[in-house]
Amino acid sequence: MKKFNEFCEKYEASLWQLIAAIWFFIYYFLGIEKDALFGAGVFWLFLAVIDFVQKKLRNKKQ
């Protein structure tokens, strides 16, 4: 449980970005609101991936 908590603390912003992307994709595929939701989901998913990779590379350098 301690490793999970450390992971969540380290990647908190990335996890929230991933949640936002999933939320946009769900709304898009359910057809509730289609105005640019797919683009917003892709944008937040891209930001989350960049953040994960950046933090992972930063940890390897240390």
Side-chain angles (χ1 to χ4, degrees), residues 14-29:
S14 302
L15 292 173
W16 280 114
Q17 291 168 350
L18 186 60
I19 290 169
I22 291 169
W23 181 78
F24 282 121
F25 285 132
I26 288 172
Y27 265 64
Y28 176 78
F29 288 116

Side-chain angles (χ1 to χ4, degrees), residues 24-25 28 36-44:
F24 282 121
F25 285 132
Y28 176 78
L37 285 176
F38 186 76
V42 170
F43 173 75
W44 284 107

